[in-house]
Structure formats: C-alpha cells, structure tokens
Amino acid sequence: DIQMTQSPSSVSASAGDRVTITCRASQGISNWLAWYQQKTGKAPKLLIHAASNLQSGVPSRFSGSGSGTDFTLTISSLEPEDFATYYCQQTHSFPLTFGGGTKVEIK
Amino acid sequence: EVLLVESGGGLVKPGGSLRLSCAASGFSFSSYTMTWVRQAPGKGLEWVSSINSISRLIHDADSVKGRFTISRDNAKKSLFLQMNSLRADDTAVYYCATYTSMGSLEYWGQGTLVTVSS
C-alpha cells in the first residue's frame, strides 16, 4: 500500500498569510494526487486533481504542485473561509490512501 | 445539480448488520465508478470500497474485506454498502462519492453516521 504523509498536522495562520502544506508518498505516484478541503461537519470538497489542476469553481489562490513522491498545496493569501482541514489522497492505485490531514487554524 | 444522498445509518450492536444506500441524481450515474469513504469521529478519511460502472471491478479495503459488500443498481441510480459483522471500529460517518478517471473523488454526499456499540 502507498502511504501518504502530510505535514504539518496543524498550522496557525492569519488571514492574508501564505500557507504551504506538503504531502509525501511512500513510492512514486507521478501526478496521481488530489487535495481536498473539509470543514467541520461537512463532506470533503475536491480542490486539486492530477496534482496541479484546479477543480472548477475553486478560487485561484489555491494551487498544487509536485510529481513523483513530493507534493505541495499552497494557499497564496488565506481568506476567512479557508480555515479548515486539508487532505491529500493518492489516486495512483488501490487501496486509495489519504494523508493524515492538516488543520489550518486561526492564529 | 449533482446530488448524492446517503441513508441507512444508525446504531447497531457489535456483530450486527446494516445496509447503506446512496441515491444519485443530476449526472449520468451509470457511467461513473462510485466509492465509499468513511471517517471515524475526530479522525481522518479512510477509503472503504469502489465499484466500476458495470459492477465488474470491485476493490475493498483490507479492513472491510469479507465483511462489507459494495453494489449498485444503475436503473435506480443507487449505490449500496452491505455491512456485516460490524465492529466498534467501524463507527464512522460513511460518504459516497463519484470517482473520476484520474482517481479523484469529485462529488460527495453529506454522509450517514454508523455507530456500532452495545
């Protein structure tokens, strides 16, 4: 199974800050990676697919990069509605696996 | 508008069974691979099972293999998860989701809570 390791597990930031979340796969997955945002009590929302492709309707302040084993989700300027938990997921092979999550909290 | 609505969750005793349903609308259900993902209280996301559009390919997580069975009825635009031999660690919110060609989970339902407790 492919293990996904996210860091940090939590980050405190202020509105307007730039936030970067990293995700590392235990083996190469090319660009088979997705990022999700989840707010408390809600279903996850797809933000990025194929490592760097912004899902329709997602604000351009979100971006994804990386290939192989190392990936990054960047929020260029945090908005109040961006405080949430973010997950990466490898889509390379079954079993599908998720990172442990990164909680973006208000400083 | 794409809509996925899960139902069938509830409280069940260890060793019991439950059948979850996911009603789909607003998209061509019969063309999509569908997936169940669960989330234990306060924990992260865990993939459970996936089924392709014509029910020929099924993948299950090791944690549910032999106990859970995914199925679908394309005529009724519905996805199911039959859960048997339930354990306390199966307690979670269960989400159904559409699975894209790149393997990402595009649309999600609101989830249904399954609680396994005596």
Side-chain angles (χ1 to χ4, degrees), chain B residues 50-88:
Chain B
S50 296
I51 184 169
N52 79 337
S53 60
I54 56 171
S55 304
R56 283 279 182 86
L57 281 176
I58 289 173
H59 299 275
D60 298 312
D62 285 345
S63 58
V64 305
K65 207 163 285 188
R67 300 187 301 122
F68 291 11
T69 302
I70 190 171
S71 63
R72 64 190 296 160
D73 184 333
N74 286 342
K76 294 183 178 179
K77 298 184 179 180
S78 294
L79 176 72
F80 306 102
L81 187 66
Q82 177 66 44
M83 304 187 295
N84 299 329
S85 303
L86 282 160
R87 311 184 303 222

PDB file of all heavy atoms in Angstrom, chain B residues 50-88:
ATOM      1  N   SER B  50     -14.756   0.562  -3.749  1.00  0.00           N
ATOM      2  CA  SER B  50     -15.110   1.186  -5.021  1.00  0.00           C
ATOM      3  C   SER B  50     -15.668   0.140  -5.965  1.00  0.00           C
ATOM      4  O   SER B  50     -15.249  -1.020  -5.926  1.00  0.00           O
ATOM      5  CB  SER B  50     -13.892   1.850  -5.677  1.00  0.00           C
ATOM      6  OG  SER B  50     -13.398   2.909  -4.899  1.00  0.00           O
ATOM      7  N   ILE B  51     -16.569   0.570  -6.840  1.00  0.00           N
ATOM      8  CA  ILE B  51     -17.195  -0.315  -7.821  1.00  0.00           C
ATOM      9  C   ILE B  51     -17.273   0.411  -9.152  1.00  0.00           C
ATOM     10  O   ILE B  51     -17.657   1.590  -9.191  1.00  0.00           O
ATOM     11  CB  ILE B  51     -18.589  -0.766  -7.326  1.00  0.00           C
ATOM     12  CG1 ILE B  51     -19.223  -1.779  -8.282  1.00  0.00           C
ATOM     13  CG2 ILE B  51     -19.516   0.436  -7.106  1.00  0.00           C
ATOM     14  CD1 ILE B  51     -20.479  -2.448  -7.708  1.00  0.00           C
ATOM     15  N   ASN B  52     -16.905  -0.270 -10.234  1.00  0.00           N
ATOM     16  CA  ASN B  52     -16.921   0.436 -11.513  1.00  0.00           C
ATOM     17  C   ASN B  52     -18.346   0.499 -12.064  1.00  0.00           C
ATOM     18  O   ASN B  52     -19.298  -0.018 -11.466  1.00  0.00           O
ATOM     19  CB  ASN B  52     -15.922  -0.175 -12.497  1.00  0.00           C
ATOM     20  CG  ASN B  52     -16.417  -1.444 -13.167  1.00  0.00           C
ATOM     21  OD1 ASN B  52     -17.300  -2.146 -12.646  1.00  0.00           O
ATOM     22  ND2 ASN B  52     -15.860  -1.756 -14.316  1.00  0.00           N
ATOM     23  N   SER B  53     -18.486   1.129 -13.201  1.00  0.00           N
ATOM     24  CA  SER B  53     -19.814   1.485 -13.706  1.00  0.00           C
ATOM     25  C   SER B  53     -20.708   0.285 -13.976  1.00  0.00           C
ATOM     26  O   SER B  53     -21.923   0.369 -13.834  1.00  0.00           O
ATOM     27  CB  SER B  53     -19.679   2.320 -14.977  1.00  0.00           C
ATOM     28  OG  SER B  53     -18.989   1.598 -15.971  1.00  0.00           O
ATOM     29  N   ILE B  54     -20.110  -0.847 -14.360  1.00  0.00           N
ATOM     30  CA  ILE B  54     -20.915  -2.019 -14.698  1.00  0.00           C
ATOM     31  C   ILE B  54     -20.743  -3.141 -13.686  1.00  0.00           C
ATOM     32  O   ILE B  54     -21.062  -4.298 -13.969  1.00  0.00           O
ATOM     33  CB  ILE B  54     -20.594  -2.516 -16.120  1.00  0.00           C
ATOM     34  CG1 ILE B  54     -19.095  -2.802 -16.263  1.00  0.00           C
ATOM     35  CG2 ILE B  54     -21.057  -1.511 -17.149  1.00  0.00           C
ATOM     36  CD1 ILE B  54     -18.724  -3.494 -17.572  1.00  0.00           C
ATOM     37  N   SER B  55     -20.238  -2.782 -12.512  1.00  0.00           N
ATOM     38  CA  SER B  55     -20.090  -3.733 -11.390  1.00  0.00           C
ATOM     39  C   SER B  55     -19.121  -4.873 -11.676  1.00  0.00           C
ATOM     40  O   SER B  55     -19.183  -5.919 -11.014  1.00  0.00           O
ATOM     41  CB  SER B  55     -21.459  -4.325 -10.992  1.00  0.00           C
ATOM     42  OG  SER B  55     -22.368  -3.310 -10.675  1.00  0.00           O
ATOM     43  N   ARG B  56     -18.230  -4.677 -12.653  1.00  0.00           N
ATOM     44  CA  ARG B  56     -17.278  -5.750 -12.988  1.00  0.00           C
ATOM     45  C   ARG B  56     -16.025  -5.691 -12.130  1.00  0.00           C
ATOM     46  O   ARG B  56     -15.376  -6.695 -11.879  1.00  0.00           O
ATOM     47  CB  ARG B  56     -16.891  -5.635 -14.460  1.00  0.00           C
ATOM     48  CG  ARG B  56     -17.951  -6.147 -15.408  1.00  0.00           C
ATOM     49  CD  ARG B  56     -17.913  -7.666 -15.553  1.00  0.00           C
ATOM     50  NE  ARG B  56     -18.908  -8.149 -16.490  1.00  0.00           N
ATOM     51  CZ  ARG B  56     -18.716  -8.231 -17.802  1.00  0.00           C
ATOM     52  NH1 ARG B  56     -17.553  -7.864 -18.304  1.00  0.00           N
ATOM     53  NH2 ARG B  56     -19.673  -8.678 -18.578  1.00  0.00           N
ATOM     54  N   LEU B  57     -15.653  -4.463 -11.734  1.00  0.00           N
ATOM     55  CA  LEU B  57     -14.433  -4.277 -10.945  1.00  0.00           C
ATOM     56  C   LEU B  57     -14.788  -3.735  -9.578  1.00  0.00           C
ATOM     57  O   LEU B  57     -15.418  -2.673  -9.473  1.00  0.00           O
ATOM     58  CB  LEU B  57     -13.483  -3.313 -11.649  1.00  0.00           C
ATOM     59  CG  LEU B  57     -12.659  -3.849 -12.801  1.00  0.00           C
ATOM     60  CD1 LEU B  57     -11.856  -2.725 -13.443  1.00  0.00           C
ATOM     61  CD2 LEU B  57     -11.715  -4.954 -12.332  1.00  0.00           C
ATOM     62  N   ILE B  58     -14.404  -4.451  -8.548  1.00  0.00           N
ATOM     63  CA  ILE B  58     -14.656  -4.035  -7.173  1.00  0.00           C
ATOM     64  C   ILE B  58     -13.344  -4.099  -6.396  1.00  0.00           C
ATOM     65  O   ILE B  58     -12.572  -5.050  -6.536  1.00  0.00           O
ATOM     66  CB  ILE B  58     -15.725  -4.935  -6.516  1.00  0.00           C
ATOM     67  CG1 ILE B  58     -17.103  -4.641  -7.114  1.00  0.00           C
ATOM     68  CG2 ILE B  58     -15.739  -4.748  -5.003  1.00  0.00           C
ATOM     69  CD1 ILE B  58     -18.200  -5.576  -6.653  1.00  0.00           C
ATOM     70  N   HIS B  59     -13.092  -3.044  -5.629  1.00  0.00           N
ATOM     71  CA  HIS B  59     -11.931  -3.017  -4.755  1.00  0.00           C
ATOM     72  C   HIS B  59     -12.415  -2.717  -3.344  1.00  0.00           C
ATOM     73  O   HIS B  59     -13.264  -1.844  -3.144  1.00  0.00           O
ATOM     74  CB  HIS B  59     -10.944  -1.925  -5.191  1.00  0.00           C
ATOM     75  CG  HIS B  59     -10.397  -2.116  -6.564  1.00  0.00           C
ATOM     76  ND1 HIS B  59      -9.300  -2.907  -6.821  1.00  0.00           N
ATOM     77  CD2 HIS B  59     -10.803  -1.602  -7.755  1.00  0.00           C
ATOM     78  CE1 HIS B  59      -9.039  -2.872  -8.121  1.00  0.00           C
ATOM     79  NE2 HIS B  59      -9.931  -2.099  -8.704  1.00  0.00           N
ATOM     80  N   ASP B  60     -11.872  -3.426  -2.384  1.00  0.00           N
ATOM     81  CA  ASP B  60     -12.228  -3.223  -0.984  1.00  0.00           C
ATOM     82  C   ASP B  60     -10.982  -3.006  -0.147  1.00  0.00           C
ATOM     83  O   ASP B  60      -9.937  -3.614  -0.391  1.00  0.00           O
ATOM     84  CB  ASP B  60     -12.958  -4.453  -0.421  1.00  0.00           C
ATOM     85  CG  ASP B  60     -14.254  -4.756  -1.120  1.00  0.00           C
ATOM     86  OD1 ASP B  60     -15.045  -3.813  -1.305  1.00  0.00           O
ATOM     87  OD2 ASP B  60     -14.486  -5.925  -1.474  1.00  0.00           O
ATOM     88  N   ALA B  61     -11.111  -2.188   0.872  1.00  0.00           N
ATOM     89  CA  ALA B  61     -10.031  -2.041   1.838  1.00  0.00           C
ATOM     90  C   ALA B  61      -9.882  -3.341   2.628  1.00  0.00           C
ATOM     91  O   ALA B  61     -10.864  -4.038   2.883  1.00  0.00           O
ATOM     92  CB  ALA B  61     -10.341  -0.883   2.779  1.00  0.00           C
ATOM     93  N   ASP B  62      -8.650  -3.640   3.027  1.00  0.00           N
ATOM     94  CA  ASP B  62      -8.423  -4.868   3.805  1.00  0.00           C
ATOM     95  C   ASP B  62      -9.248  -4.878   5.089  1.00  0.00           C
ATOM     96  O   ASP B  62      -9.673  -5.940   5.549  1.00  0.00           O
ATOM     97  CB  ASP B  62      -6.938  -4.998   4.154  1.00  0.00           C
ATOM     98  CG  ASP B  62      -6.100  -5.425   2.967  1.00  0.00           C
ATOM     99  OD1 ASP B  62      -6.683  -5.887   1.957  1.00  0.00           O
ATOM    100  OD2 ASP B  62      -4.866  -5.300   3.039  1.00  0.00           O
ATOM    101  N   SER B  63      -9.471  -3.699   5.644  1.00  0.00           N
ATOM    102  CA  SER B  63     -10.170  -3.596   6.925  1.00  0.00           C
ATOM    103  C   SER B  63     -11.634  -4.029   6.836  1.00  0.00           C
ATOM    104  O   SER B  63     -12.266  -4.309   7.861  1.00  0.00           O
ATOM    105  CB  SER B  63     -10.091  -2.168   7.456  1.00  0.00           C
ATOM    106  OG  SER B  63     -10.641  -1.253   6.514  1.00  0.00           O
ATOM    107  N   VAL B  64     -12.183  -4.082   5.622  1.00  0.00           N
ATOM    108  CA  VAL B  64     -13.600  -4.453   5.475  1.00  0.00           C
ATOM    109  C   VAL B  64     -13.789  -5.685   4.599  1.00  0.00           C
ATOM    110  O   VAL B  64     -14.926  -6.176   4.459  1.00  0.00           O
ATOM    111  CB  VAL B  64     -14.438  -3.291   4.896  1.00  0.00           C
ATOM    112  CG1 VAL B  64     -14.262  -2.038   5.742  1.00  0.00           C
ATOM    113  CG2 VAL B  64     -14.089  -3.019   3.437  1.00  0.00           C
ATOM    114  N   LYS B  65     -12.694  -6.193   4.030  1.00  0.00           N
ATOM    115  CA  LYS B  65     -12.798  -7.314   3.104  1.00  0.00           C
ATOM    116  C   LYS B  65     -13.431  -8.519   3.805  1.00  0.00           C
ATOM    117  O   LYS B  65     -13.077  -8.866   4.932  1.00  0.00           O
ATOM    118  CB  LYS B  65     -11.405  -7.669   2.592  1.00  0.00           C
ATOM    119  CG  LYS B  65     -11.383  -8.320   1.236  1.00  0.00           C
ATOM    120  CD  LYS B  65      -9.979  -8.266   0.624  1.00  0.00           C
ATOM    121  CE  LYS B  65      -9.664  -6.883   0.121  1.00  0.00           C
ATOM    122  NZ  LYS B  65      -8.388  -6.828  -0.649  1.00  0.00           N
ATOM    123  N   GLY B  66     -14.406  -9.123   3.109  1.00  0.00           N
ATOM    124  CA  GLY B  66     -15.099 -10.278   3.668  1.00  0.00           C
ATOM    125  C   GLY B  66     -16.256  -9.917   4.570  1.00  0.00           C
ATOM    126  O   GLY B  66     -17.041 -10.792   4.952  1.00  0.00           O
ATOM    127  N   ARG B  67     -16.373  -8.653   4.933  1.00  0.00           N
ATOM    128  CA  ARG B  67     -17.474  -8.219   5.811  1.00  0.00           C
ATOM    129  C   ARG B  67     -18.419  -7.252   5.106  1.00  0.00           C
ATOM    130  O   ARG B  67     -19.622  -7.273   5.340  1.00  0.00           O
ATOM    131  CB  ARG B  67     -16.916  -7.545   7.065  1.00  0.00           C
ATOM    132  CG  ARG B  67     -16.014  -8.423   7.909  1.00  0.00           C
ATOM    133  CD  ARG B  67     -15.634  -7.746   9.223  1.00  0.00           C
ATOM    134  NE  ARG B  67     -14.945  -6.472   9.030  1.00  0.00           N
ATOM    135  CZ  ARG B  67     -15.378  -5.298   9.518  1.00  0.00           C
ATOM    136  NH1 ARG B  67     -16.501  -5.241  10.210  1.00  0.00           N
ATOM    137  NH2 ARG B  67     -14.672  -4.196   9.312  1.00  0.00           N
ATOM    138  N   PHE B  68     -17.869  -6.374   4.266  1.00  0.00           N
ATOM    139  CA  PHE B  68     -18.661  -5.364   3.555  1.00  0.00           C
ATOM    140  C   PHE B  68     -18.746  -5.737   2.084  1.00  0.00           C
ATOM    141  O   PHE B  68     -17.781  -6.237   1.500  1.00  0.00           O
ATOM    142  CB  PHE B  68     -18.011  -3.985   3.664  1.00  0.00           C
ATOM    143  CG  PHE B  68     -18.038  -3.355   5.027  1.00  0.00           C
ATOM    144  CD1 PHE B  68     -18.414  -4.057   6.166  1.00  0.00           C
ATOM    145  CD2 PHE B  68     -17.674  -2.018   5.181  1.00  0.00           C
ATOM    146  CE1 PHE B  68     -18.434  -3.467   7.415  1.00  0.00           C
ATOM    147  CE2 PHE B  68     -17.685  -1.403   6.427  1.00  0.00           C
ATOM    148  CZ  PHE B  68     -18.059  -2.138   7.545  1.00  0.00           C
ATOM    149  N   THR B  69     -19.901  -5.448   1.477  1.00  0.00           N
ATOM    150  CA  THR B  69     -20.095  -5.688   0.044  1.00  0.00           C
ATOM    151  C   THR B  69     -20.691  -4.456  -0.605  1.00  0.00           C
ATOM    152  O   THR B  69     -21.774  -4.002  -0.223  1.00  0.00           O
ATOM    153  CB  THR B  69     -21.026  -6.886  -0.190  1.00  0.00           C
ATOM    154  OG1 THR B  69     -20.494  -8.050   0.441  1.00  0.00           O
ATOM    155  CG2 THR B  69     -21.181  -7.154  -1.683  1.00  0.00           C
ATOM    156  N   ILE B  70     -19.973  -3.930  -1.593  1.00  0.00           N
ATOM    157  CA  ILE B  70     -20.482  -2.795  -2.354  1.00  0.00           C
ATOM    158  C   ILE B  70     -21.263  -3.321  -3.554  1.00  0.00           C
ATOM    159  O   ILE B  70     -20.910  -4.362  -4.138  1.00  0.00           O
ATOM    160  CB  ILE B  70     -19.303  -1.891  -2.810  1.00  0.00           C
ATOM    161  CG1 ILE B  70     -19.807  -0.568  -3.383  1.00  0.00           C
ATOM    162  CG2 ILE B  70     -18.404  -2.607  -3.809  1.00  0.00           C
ATOM    163  CD1 ILE B  70     -18.688   0.458  -3.655  1.00  0.00           C
ATOM    164  N   SER B  71     -22.329  -2.611  -3.904  1.00  0.00           N
ATOM    165  CA  SER B  71     -23.110  -2.979  -5.086  1.00  0.00           C
ATOM    166  C   SER B  71     -23.804  -1.735  -5.610  1.00  0.00           C
ATOM    167  O   SER B  71     -23.781  -0.686  -4.965  1.00  0.00           O
ATOM    168  CB  SER B  71     -24.133  -4.077  -4.756  1.00  0.00           C
ATOM    169  OG  SER B  71     -25.065  -3.605  -3.801  1.00  0.00           O
ATOM    170  N   ARG B  72     -24.426  -1.859  -6.761  1.00  0.00           N
ATOM    171  CA  ARG B  72     -25.116  -0.717  -7.351  1.00  0.00           C
ATOM    172  C   ARG B  72     -26.277  -1.196  -8.198  1.00  0.00           C
ATOM    173  O   ARG B  72     -26.297  -2.338  -8.661  1.00  0.00           O
ATOM    174  CB  ARG B  72     -24.147   0.124  -8.186  1.00  0.00           C
ATOM    175  CG  ARG B  72     -23.572  -0.594  -9.394  1.00  0.00           C
ATOM    176  CD  ARG B  72     -22.442   0.213 -10.031  1.00  0.00           C
ATOM    177  NE  ARG B  72     -22.915   1.486 -10.565  1.00  0.00           N
ATOM    178  CZ  ARG B  72     -22.113   2.526 -10.811  1.00  0.00           C
ATOM    179  NH1 ARG B  72     -20.809   2.444 -10.539  1.00  0.00           N
ATOM    180  NH2 ARG B  72     -22.607   3.645 -11.319  1.00  0.00           N
ATOM    181  N   ASP B  73     -27.225  -0.303  -8.403  1.00  0.00           N
ATOM    182  CA  ASP B  73     -28.368  -0.542  -9.288  1.00  0.00           C
ATOM    183  C   ASP B  73     -28.436   0.671 -10.205  1.00  0.00           C
ATOM    184  O   ASP B  73     -28.928   1.731  -9.805  1.00  0.00           O
ATOM    185  CB  ASP B  73     -29.653  -0.706  -8.475  1.00  0.00           C
ATOM    186  CG  ASP B  73     -30.853  -1.056  -9.334  1.00  0.00           C
ATOM    187  OD1 ASP B  73     -30.869  -0.699 -10.540  1.00  0.00           O
ATOM    188  OD2 ASP B  73     -31.800  -1.673  -8.803  1.00  0.00           O
ATOM    189  N   ASN B  74     -27.925   0.521 -11.415  1.00  0.00           N
ATOM    190  CA  ASN B  74     -27.880   1.671 -12.329  1.00  0.00           C
ATOM    191  C   ASN B  74     -29.275   2.126 -12.745  1.00  0.00           C
ATOM    192  O   ASN B  74     -29.490   3.322 -12.977  1.00  0.00           O
ATOM    193  CB  ASN B  74     -27.042   1.328 -13.553  1.00  0.00           C
ATOM    194  CG  ASN B  74     -25.550   1.311 -13.239  1.00  0.00           C
ATOM    195  OD1 ASN B  74     -25.109   1.854 -12.226  1.00  0.00           O
ATOM    196  ND2 ASN B  74     -24.772   0.657 -14.092  1.00  0.00           N
ATOM    197  N   ALA B  75     -30.204   1.215 -12.834  1.00  0.00           N
ATOM    198  CA  ALA B  75     -31.570   1.590 -13.216  1.00  0.00           C
ATOM    199  C   ALA B  75     -32.199   2.501 -12.159  1.00  0.00           C
ATOM    200  O   ALA B  75     -32.964   3.408 -12.481  1.00  0.00           O
ATOM    201  CB  ALA B  75     -32.421   0.348 -13.414  1.00  0.00           C
ATOM    202  N   LYS B  76     -31.836   2.259 -10.902  1.00  0.00           N
ATOM    203  CA  LYS B  76     -32.381   3.072  -9.811  1.00  0.00           C
ATOM    204  C   LYS B  76     -31.407   4.162  -9.374  1.00  0.00           C
ATOM    205  O   LYS B  76     -31.677   4.869  -8.400  1.00  0.00           O
ATOM    206  CB  LYS B  76     -32.729   2.172  -8.621  1.00  0.00           C
ATOM    207  CG  LYS B  76     -33.857   1.192  -8.911  1.00  0.00           C
ATOM    208  CD  LYS B  76     -34.218   0.368  -7.698  1.00  0.00           C
ATOM    209  CE  LYS B  76     -35.386  -0.562  -8.005  1.00  0.00           C
ATOM    210  NZ  LYS B  76     -35.756  -1.408  -6.853  1.00  0.00           N
ATOM    211  N   LYS B  77     -30.283   4.279 -10.078  1.00  0.00           N
ATOM    212  CA  LYS B  77     -29.276   5.306  -9.749  1.00  0.00           C
ATOM    213  C   LYS B  77     -28.909   5.254  -8.267  1.00  0.00           C
ATOM    214  O   LYS B  77     -28.897   6.279  -7.569  1.00  0.00           O
ATOM    215  CB  LYS B  77     -29.775   6.697 -10.129  1.00  0.00           C
ATOM    216  CG  LYS B  77     -30.037   6.867 -11.615  1.00  0.00           C
ATOM    217  CD  LYS B  77     -30.444   8.297 -11.952  1.00  0.00           C
ATOM    218  CE  LYS B  77     -30.683   8.451 -13.448  1.00  0.00           C
ATOM    219  NZ  LYS B  77     -31.070   9.821 -13.812  1.00  0.00           N
ATOM    220  N   SER B  78     -28.618   4.061  -7.816  1.00  0.00           N
ATOM    221  CA  SER B  78     -28.331   3.874  -6.397  1.00  0.00           C
ATOM    222  C   SER B  78     -27.082   3.037  -6.163  1.00  0.00           C
ATOM    223  O   SER B  78     -26.788   2.105  -6.923  1.00  0.00           O
ATOM    224  CB  SER B  78     -29.517   3.201  -5.698  1.00  0.00           C
ATOM    225  OG  SER B  78     -30.643   4.056  -5.695  1.00  0.00           O
ATOM    226  N   LEU B  79     -26.386   3.384  -5.116  1.00  0.00           N
ATOM    227  CA  LEU B  79     -25.188   2.671  -4.657  1.00  0.00           C
ATOM    228  C   LEU B  79     -25.486   2.126  -3.266  1.00  0.00           C
ATOM    229  O   LEU B  79     -26.210   2.771  -2.491  1.00  0.00           O
ATOM    230  CB  LEU B  79     -24.005   3.646  -4.594  1.00  0.00           C
ATOM    231  CG  LEU B  79     -22.678   3.134  -4.049  1.00  0.00           C
ATOM    232  CD1 LEU B  79     -22.030   2.182  -5.054  1.00  0.00           C
ATOM    233  CD2 LEU B  79     -21.756   4.303  -3.739  1.00  0.00           C
ATOM    234  N   PHE B  80     -24.924   0.962  -2.969  1.00  0.00           N
ATOM    235  CA  PHE B  80     -25.207   0.326  -1.686  1.00  0.00           C
ATOM    236  C   PHE B  80     -23.912  -0.134  -1.017  1.00  0.00           C
ATOM    237  O   PHE B  80     -22.898  -0.373  -1.677  1.00  0.00           O
ATOM    238  CB  PHE B  80     -26.125  -0.887  -1.882  1.00  0.00           C
ATOM    239  CG  PHE B  80     -27.388  -0.574  -2.622  1.00  0.00           C
ATOM    240  CD1 PHE B  80     -27.520  -0.899  -3.967  1.00  0.00           C
ATOM    241  CD2 PHE B  80     -28.446   0.068  -1.985  1.00  0.00           C
ATOM    242  CE1 PHE B  80     -28.674  -0.599  -4.674  1.00  0.00           C
ATOM    243  CE2 PHE B  80     -29.610   0.377  -2.684  1.00  0.00           C
ATOM    244  CZ  PHE B  80     -29.720   0.044  -4.023  1.00  0.00           C
ATOM    245  N   LEU B  81     -23.997  -0.280   0.299  1.00  0.00           N
ATOM    246  CA  LEU B  81     -22.914  -0.901   1.053  1.00  0.00           C
ATOM    247  C   LEU B  81     -23.550  -1.801   2.111  1.00  0.00           C
ATOM    248  O   LEU B  81     -24.154  -1.302   3.061  1.00  0.00           O
ATOM    249  CB  LEU B  81     -22.014   0.137   1.707  1.00  0.00           C
ATOM    250  CG  LEU B  81     -20.756  -0.421   2.378  1.00  0.00           C
ATOM    251  CD1 LEU B  81     -19.801  -1.013   1.332  1.00  0.00           C
ATOM    252  CD2 LEU B  81     -20.034   0.645   3.205  1.00  0.00           C
ATOM    253  N   GLN B  82     -23.443  -3.099   1.899  1.00  0.00           N
ATOM    254  CA  GLN B  82     -23.926  -4.060   2.880  1.00  0.00           C
ATOM    255  C   GLN B  82     -22.812  -4.311   3.875  1.00  0.00           C
ATOM    256  O   GLN B  82     -21.720  -4.746   3.491  1.00  0.00           O
ATOM    257  CB  GLN B  82     -24.333  -5.371   2.190  1.00  0.00           C
ATOM    258  CG  GLN B  82     -24.793  -6.452   3.145  1.00  0.00           C
ATOM    259  CD  GLN B  82     -26.082  -6.110   3.864  1.00  0.00           C
ATOM    260  OE1 GLN B  82     -27.026  -5.619   3.247  1.00  0.00           O
ATOM    261  NE2 GLN B  82     -26.130  -6.356   5.164  1.00  0.00           N
ATOM    262  N   MET B  83     -23.094  -4.021   5.136  1.00  0.00           N
ATOM    263  CA  MET B  83     -22.066  -4.140   6.176  1.00  0.00           C
ATOM    264  C   MET B  83     -22.478  -5.227   7.163  1.00  0.00           C
ATOM    265  O   MET B  83     -23.519  -5.095   7.830  1.00  0.00           O
ATOM    266  CB  MET B  83     -21.894  -2.796   6.887  1.00  0.00           C
ATOM    267  CG  MET B  83     -21.565  -1.658   5.937  1.00  0.00           C
ATOM    268  SD  MET B  83     -21.169  -0.132   6.792  1.00  0.00           S
ATOM    269  CE  MET B  83     -22.731   0.214   7.568  1.00  0.00           C
ATOM    270  N   ASN B  84     -21.687  -6.279   7.231  1.00  0.00           N
ATOM    271  CA  ASN B  84     -21.949  -7.387   8.148  1.00  0.00           C
ATOM    272  C   ASN B  84     -20.836  -7.484   9.181  1.00  0.00           C
ATOM    273  O   ASN B  84     -19.764  -6.896   9.011  1.00  0.00           O
ATOM    274  CB  ASN B  84     -22.053  -8.707   7.374  1.00  0.00           C
ATOM    275  CG  ASN B  84     -23.174  -8.719   6.362  1.00  0.00           C
ATOM    276  OD1 ASN B  84     -24.215  -8.067   6.552  1.00  0.00           O
ATOM    277  ND2 ASN B  84     -22.989  -9.451   5.278  1.00  0.00           N
ATOM    278  N   SER B  85     -21.090  -8.242  10.223  1.00  0.00           N
ATOM    279  CA  SER B  85     -20.091  -8.464  11.284  1.00  0.00           C
ATOM    280  C   SER B  85     -19.469  -7.154  11.741  1.00  0.00           C
ATOM    281  O   SER B  85     -18.245  -7.023  11.840  1.00  0.00           O
ATOM    282  CB  SER B  85     -18.995  -9.426  10.778  1.00  0.00           C
ATOM    283  OG  SER B  85     -19.539 -10.638  10.345  1.00  0.00           O
ATOM    284  N   LEU B  86     -20.318  -6.205  12.016  1.00  0.00           N
ATOM    285  CA  LEU B  86     -19.834  -4.871  12.366  1.00  0.00           C
ATOM    286  C   LEU B  86     -19.095  -4.868  13.687  1.00  0.00           C
ATOM    287  O   LEU B  86     -19.432  -5.608  14.627  1.00  0.00           O
ATOM    288  CB  LEU B  86     -20.997  -3.881  12.392  1.00  0.00           C
ATOM    289  CG  LEU B  86     -21.448  -3.425  10.998  1.00  0.00           C
ATOM    290  CD1 LEU B  86     -22.861  -2.864  11.020  1.00  0.00           C
ATOM    291  CD2 LEU B  86     -20.467  -2.413  10.428  1.00  0.00           C
ATOM    292  N   ARG B  87     -18.069  -4.018  13.752  1.00  0.00           N
ATOM    293  CA  ARG B  87     -17.220  -3.891  14.933  1.00  0.00           C
ATOM    294  C   ARG B  87     -17.242  -2.442  15.401  1.00  0.00           C
ATOM    295  O   ARG B  87     -17.599  -1.537  14.655  1.00  0.00           O
ATOM    296  CB  ARG B  87     -15.778  -4.304  14.606  1.00  0.00           C
ATOM    297  CG  ARG B  87     -15.660  -5.628  13.878  1.00  0.00           C
ATOM    298  CD  ARG B  87     -14.241  -6.057  13.656  1.00  0.00           C
ATOM    299  NE  ARG B  87     -13.415  -5.136  12.937  1.00  0.00           N
ATOM    300  CZ  ARG B  87     -12.549  -5.476  11.987  1.00  0.00           C
ATOM    301  NH1 ARG B  87     -12.456  -6.777  11.664  1.00  0.00           N
ATOM    302  NH2 ARG B  87     -11.788  -4.593  11.406  1.00  0.00           N
ATOM    303  N   ALA B  88     -16.796  -2.233  16.616  1.00  0.00           N
ATOM    304  CA  ALA B  88     -16.776  -0.877  17.168  1.00  0.00           C
ATOM    305  C   ALA B  88     -15.943   0.058  16.300  1.00  0.00           C
ATOM    306  O   ALA B  88     -16.273   1.245  16.139  1.00  0.00           O
ATOM    307  CB  ALA B  88     -16.241  -0.903  18.599  1.00  0.00           C
TER     308      ALA B  88
END
